[in-house]
């Protein structure tokens, strides 16, 4: 392995065969593997998120098949627990997060008039850490069993005594690697928004999607460290015999719950706040109106971000922390409904009196409102501790968080996909196929999860793989499974729509929706430098203001000149492989491989420290030639 490592390093540094490395650098694969272009990294995030959305959906369908009839034995015991754990983990960490990061990467720099993110190298490293962390977590399906302690991995189930074998280790090491990439992305997005806005783009002129990206980045920076600490302590317990969480040896199982939920509840808003931003931009565009109550929306977004850290104990009402603690966190949980309500009413008032059009993106946005409101209403029910004592660990809770996370996050992401697809890929998605996708998925979703409220009220616990016949549960479970099948069919249609889009030779218009913000002022496909001349912003909805003034394009904020852009780098890919190997070694309890991976990571950091490639310049003549061709 040492010889292989040296051989690998020699190839990538050009010392072994310079002709081979030069040939590799001309390939498309090399271009994507080494790219630091925020748009390409965003596309890779987005496509990885689509892939894991399908994987997580298949895991859900397997569970729904198991629950189709009482006494089914298709997926029982540990297998069902593995499906349950990996479904939750995949959907939260490896589907929702990369889909959001994909849209932020592509759209946010364009909306603020920037040519790239603040730290392009870090952006690439963040993606590849996510990619190999997700891969490592899912390798448990092939080698040694998947995690089986639930997506929250409570230590009463996750310690070696209760979950022997490497399953939980895949969860612990994979999430640590992916989480490091997430933290880097949060820092990168925050610095980009604060430091790289174009001339005239004040904070209160930013589109709402950029505002929600800003608050989300702050949440990531403060929420990820508690999860990182929790995973590190659990790794020490499982791999090295520490006793942070083993109550028999003086540890505390409740400590894990606090650390996890201090991350876990802000995580809900990490995936929901960008959804609010997507909705705001879509409602404004397809209502032909400025977003109603823009300043109040900014305030509400900031308040939600703050209160998101004040409510984590509502996940722990039944732990026994006492009436004072439960009461304080119940009130805080109810308060968060106020800024959320402000947003809903502002969306409705934005549509009121507008020139409404209803493409597929708008249908997803309108479907989002009642669906998310239902999730919010059941959330208020769960905020009352006496009621929560009854709903706790029942299917009522399952219905609630799916209404929030699918009805909120996934609906918005699908709306964003149809809306920004032309900027991401330079093509359009079919509206006809999109309508089939929307109606099948929307109806299937409500058939799947609305009946689960009643399953919970009738006493069916969550995380069970069977139930007794003739107790009134089987027909509701069958309706729920049928709805899941409709959602699956809708997803297949979406996949076919994407394939048809990629195969199409027709290039989308630069501004197909008559948009209002700066991303629609660029060419399609967007050039790697985004703007030949950075635009000058004169108010909210900057591009719409220019069009209303009779201008077909933005007023430049600078003369045409040479543009400095960063060069691609293979080092982030190598760094991530090194951590992947190190994590694999720890899971396999092969300390030699683990140490080798960490040493390789140190070598790649050394390579980065002495990287003398400071980028390149695009000359004005090249810009003029590209503008003429477009």
């Amino acid at each position: 392995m040492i010889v292989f490592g040296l051989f690998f390093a020699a190839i990538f540094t050009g010392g072994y065969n310079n002709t081979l490395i030069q040939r590799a650098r001309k390939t498309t694969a090399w271009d994507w593997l080494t790219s630091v272009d925020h748009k390409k990294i965003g596309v890779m995030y987005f496509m990885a998120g689509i892939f894991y959305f399908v994987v997580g959906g298949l895991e859900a369908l397997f569970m729904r098949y198991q629950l189709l009839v009482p006494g089914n034995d298709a997926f029982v015991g540990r297998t069902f627990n593995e499906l349950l754990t990996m479904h939750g983990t995949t959907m939260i960490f490896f589907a929702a997060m990369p889909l959001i990061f994909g849209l932020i990467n592509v759209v946010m720099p364009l909306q603020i008039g920037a040519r790239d993110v603040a730290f392009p190298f870090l952006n690439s490293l963040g993606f590849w850490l996510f990619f190999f962390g997700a891969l490592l977590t899912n390798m448990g399906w092939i080698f040694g069993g998947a995690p089986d302690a639930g997506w929250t991995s409570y230590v009463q189930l996750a310690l070696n005594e209760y979950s022997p074998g490497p399953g939980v280790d895949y969860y612990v090491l994979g999430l640590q690697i992916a989480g490091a990439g997430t933290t880097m992305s949060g820092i990168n997005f925050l610095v980009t928004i604060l430091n790289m806005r174009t001339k005239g783009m004040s904070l209160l002129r930013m589109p709402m999607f950029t505002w929600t990206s800003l608050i989300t980045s702050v949440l990531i920076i403060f929420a990820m460290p508690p999860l990182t600490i929790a995973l590190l302590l659990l790794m020490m317990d499982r791999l090295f015999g520490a006793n942070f969480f083993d109550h028999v040896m003086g540890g505390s199982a409740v400590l894990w719950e606090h650390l996890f939920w201090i991350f876990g509840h802000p995580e809900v808003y990490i995936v929901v706040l960008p959804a609010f931003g997507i909705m705001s931009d879509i409602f404004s565009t397809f209502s032909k109106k400025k977003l109603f109550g823009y300043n109040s929306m900014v305030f509400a977004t900031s308040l939600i971000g703050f209160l998101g850290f004040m409510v984590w104990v509502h996940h722990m009402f039944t732990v026994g922390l006492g009436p004072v603690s439960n009461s304080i966190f119940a009130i805080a949980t109810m308060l968060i409904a106020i800024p959320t309500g402000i947003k809903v009413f502002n969306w409705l008032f934005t549509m009121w009196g507008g020139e409404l059009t209803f493409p597929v993106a708008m249908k997803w946005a309108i479907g989002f409102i009642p669906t998310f409101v239902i999730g919010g209403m059941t959330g208020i029910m769960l905020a009352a501790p006496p009621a929560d004592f009854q709903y706790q660990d029942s299917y009522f809770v399952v219905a609630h968080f799916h209404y929030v996370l699918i009805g909120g996050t996934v609906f918005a992401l699908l709306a964003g996909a149809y809306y920004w697809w032309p900027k991401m890929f330079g093509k359009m998605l079919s509206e006809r196929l999109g309508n089939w996708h929307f109606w099948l998925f929307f109806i299937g979703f409500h058939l799947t999860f609305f009946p689960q409220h009643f399953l919970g009220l009738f006493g069916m616990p969550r995380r069970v793989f069977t139930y007794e016949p003739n107790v009134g549960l089987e027909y509701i479970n069958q309706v729920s499974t049928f709805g899941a099948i409709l959602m699956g069919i809708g997803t297949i249609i979406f996949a076919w729509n994407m394939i048809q889009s990629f195969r199409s030779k027709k290039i989308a218009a630069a501004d197909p929706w008559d948009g209002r913000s700066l991303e629609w002022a660029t060419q399609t496909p967007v050039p790697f430098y985004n703007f030949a001349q950075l635009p000058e912003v004169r108010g909210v909805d900057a591009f719409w203001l220019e069009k209303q003034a009779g201008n077909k394009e933005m007023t430049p904020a600078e003369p045409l000149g040479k543009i400095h852009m960063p060069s691609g780098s293979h080092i982030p890919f190598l760094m991530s492989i090194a951590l992947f190997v190190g994590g694999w070694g720890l899971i396999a309890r092969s300390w030699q491989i683990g140490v080798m991976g960490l040493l390789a990571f140190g070598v790649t950091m050394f390579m980065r420290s002495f990287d003398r490639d400071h980028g390149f310049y695009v000359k004005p003549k090249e810009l003029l030639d590209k503008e003429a061709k477009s």
Side-chain angles (χ1 to χ4, degrees):
M1 291 193 68
I2 292 172
V3 171
F4 174 75
L6 292 172
F7 177 73
F8 193 72
I11 287 179
F12 274 86
T13 55
Y16 181 77
N17 187 330
N18 198 50
T19 304
L20 178 63
I21 197 70
Q22 292 302 326
R23 191 182 308 150
R25 284 174 174 164
K26 295 178 181 178
T27 63
T28 302
W30 179 274
D31 182 41
W32 284 86
L33 288 176
T34 63
S35 178
V36 295
D37 183 348
H38 71 95
K39 297 176 291 298
K40 288 185 176 179
I41 292 171
V43 167
M44 290 191 289
Y45 263 123
F46 193 83
M47 298 312 294
I50 291 289
F51 171 78
Y52 281 111
F53 181 76
V54 172
V55 170
L58 288 173
E59 290 160 348
L61 283 173
F62 291 149
M63 287 191 289
R64 289 312 319 165
Y65 175 72
Q66 167 61 28
L67 295 169
L68 183 62
V69 293
N72 198 353
D73 60 356
F75 304 101
V76 299
R78 177 170 178 167
T79 303
F80 188 87
N81 292 338
E82 290 173 343
L83 287 170
L84 179 96
T85 302
M86 288 305 297
H87 167 68
T89 303
T90 298
M91 285 302 199
I92 293 289
F93 294 105
F94 306 142
M97 293 288 282
L99 286 169
I100 289 166
F101 281 12
L103 290 180
I104 293 176
N105 253 302
V106 172
V107 176
M108 178 271 289
L110 296 175
Q111 286 194 335
I112 65 172
R115 291 199 172 99
D116 209 322
V117 293
F119 308 116
F121 180 91
L122 202 66
N123 201 22
S124 176
L125 179 58
F127 169 75
W128 289 114
L129 287 174
F130 150 76
F131 179 87
F132 283 104
L135 182 62
L136 184 62
T137 306
N138 281 272
M139 292 300 282
W141 285 120
I142 305 171
F143 303 102
D148 61 350
W151 84 273
T152 57
S153 201
Y154 276 14
V155 291
Q156 296 92 329
L157 301 171
L159 294 178
N160 286 326
E161 180 181 355
Y162 313 111
S163 185
V168 175
D169 296 333
Y170 286 105
Y171 174 97
V172 171
L173 273 302
L175 286 188
Q176 284 190 86
I177 295 171
T182 300
T183 305
M184 292 176 187
S185 296
I187 295 169
N188 205 353
F189 295 151
L190 178 66
V191 177
T192 300
I193 295 170
L194 292 181
N195 283 357
M196 299 189 67
R197 303 187 307 277
T198 191
K199 182 180 179 182
M201 178 65 78
S202 64
L203 288 174
L204 288 179
R205 288 179 175 178
M206 296 193 308
M208 275 309 302
F209 180 69
T210 298
W211 254 111
T212 55
S213 300
L214 173 65
I215 303 300
T216 296
S217 301
V218 175
L219 293 182
I220 288 170
I221 292 168
F222 285 99
M224 287 305 298
L227 178 66
T228 303
I229 292 167
L231 292 169
L232 179 64
L233 297 180
L234 183 56
M235 181 183 74
M236 300 298 288
D237 275 15
R238 286 187 58 89
L239 270 63
F240 303 109
N243 295 296
F244 293 105
F245 301 120
D246 188 348
H247 69 280
V248 175
M249 301 300 293
S252 171
V254 176
L255 174 62
W256 168 269
E257 296 186 34
H258 278 296
L259 289 172
F260 185 88
W261 288 117
I262 289 172
F263 151 80
H265 201 82
E267 168 67 11
V268 173
Y269 296 104
I270 287 170
V271 298
V272 165
L273 282 179
F276 291 166
I278 295 168
M279 295 297 101
S280 299
D281 285 5
I282 287 175
F283 283 128
S284 180
T285 297
F286 296 116
S287 300
K288 295 288 187 291
K289 281 177 62 181
K290 179 182 175 181
L291 182 67
F292 183 90
Y294 173 87
N295 288 353
S296 67
M297 292 287 270
V298 171
F299 173 76
T301 302
S302 305
L303 187 58
I304 289 172
F306 174 75
L307 290 176
F309 283 95
M310 304 292 116
V311 298
W312 81 89
V313 170
H314 71 216
H315 295 276
M316 302 169 61
F317 280 156
T318 58
V319 167
L321 298 179
V324 174
S325 174
N326 285 2
S327 299
I328 291 171
F329 282 91
I331 293 169
T333 303
M334 294 176 188
L335 285 176
I336 210 165
I338 296 172
T340 306
I342 290 172
K343 286 182 169 294
V344 172
F345 281 109
N346 282 356
W347 292 327
L348 295 174
F349 291 141
T350 299
M351 289 187 284
W352 185 271
E355 300 177 25
L356 298 179
T357 53
F358 299 95
V360 175
M362 187 63 161
K363 290 186 175 74
W364 281 111
I366 292 173
F368 165 95
I369 291 180
T371 307
F372 188 78
V373 167
I374 291 172
M377 291 166 58
T378 55
I380 294 298
M381 295 170 68
L382 289 164
D388 185 79
F389 271 59
Q390 304 302 315
Y391 305 137
Q392 174 72 14
D393 276 338
S394 75
Y395 258 79
F396 189 90
V397 178
V398 175
H400 158 69
F401 67 67
H402 279 89
Y403 263 82
V404 171
L405 293 178
I406 296 182
T409 302
V410 174
F411 278 25
L413 287 170
L414 291 171
Y418 282 93
Y419 182 58
W420 281 308
W421 194 267
K423 283 301 163 188
M424 296 178 72
F425 299 100
K427 309 286 183 68
M428 296 291 289
L429 287 170
S430 165
E431 289 286 304
R432 181 177 61 85
L433 290 175
N435 279 306
W436 277 101
H437 173 209
F438 168 73
W439 286 112
L440 284 170
F441 197 97
F442 182 78
I443 294 169
F445 168 80
H446 287 284
L447 282 176
T448 301
F449 295 107
F450 193 78
Q452 291 183 6
H453 293 100
F454 298 100
L455 285 176
L457 294 174
F458 294 164
M460 183 170 175
R462 58 197 287 200
R463 307 188 186 95
V464 295
F465 59 82
T466 190
Y467 51 93
E468 292 295 323
N470 303 319
V471 293
L473 301 179
E474 54 189 298
Y475 296 118
I476 302 177
N477 272 298
Q478 287 165 3
V479 170
S480 187
T481 299
F482 176 70
I485 292 170
L486 288 183
M487 292 170 70
I489 295 172
T491 303
I492 292 171
I493 292 174
F494 181 53
W496 178 245
N497 200 350
M498 290 194 297
I499 293 170
Q500 292 289 85
S501 173
F502 293 143
R503 291 170 60 183
S504 172
K505 295 181 180 179
K506 185 177 180 181
I507 301 298
D511 183 19
W513 311 120
D514 195 14
R516 307 176 72 84
S517 44
L518 292 183
E519 72 269 30
W520 305 112
T522 59
Q523 306 167 29
T524 298
V526 183
F528 65 88
Y529 48 81
N530 293 351
F531 300 93
Q533 295 169 276
L534 295 181
E536 182 174 351
V537 171
R538 303 178 190 275
V540 180
D541 295 340
F543 190 36
W544 181 259
L545 291 178
E546 295 292 335
K547 289 191 286 189
Q548 292 298 101
N551 301 324
K552 294 183 178 180
E553 56 188 28
M554 295 296 300
T555 302
E558 60 179 5
L560 187 67
K562 61 181 182 180
I563 299 172
H564 178 263
M565 296 299 295
S567 299
S569 175
H570 57 272
I571 297 177
F573 185 74
L574 294 181
M575 295 174 86
S576 304
I577 287 180
L579 284 183
F580 175 83
V581 171
W584 186 282
L586 293 177
I587 292 169
R589 303 298 196 274
S590 174
W591 311 120
Q592 298 92 331
I593 295 178
V595 170
M596 186 182 301
L598 294 176
L599 287 175
F601 182 74
V603 170
T604 54
M605 291 181 69
F606 181 83
M607 291 167 60
R608 169 61 179 168
S609 299
F610 291 91
D611 186 359
R612 291 183 171 85
D613 188 344
H614 300 298
F616 61 97
Y617 284 93
V618 184
K619 297 179 180 178
K621 185 178 183 305
E622 297 176 56
L623 297 174
L624 291 172
D625 290 343
K626 289 179 182 293
E627 293 286 326
K629 289 180 181 178
S630 67

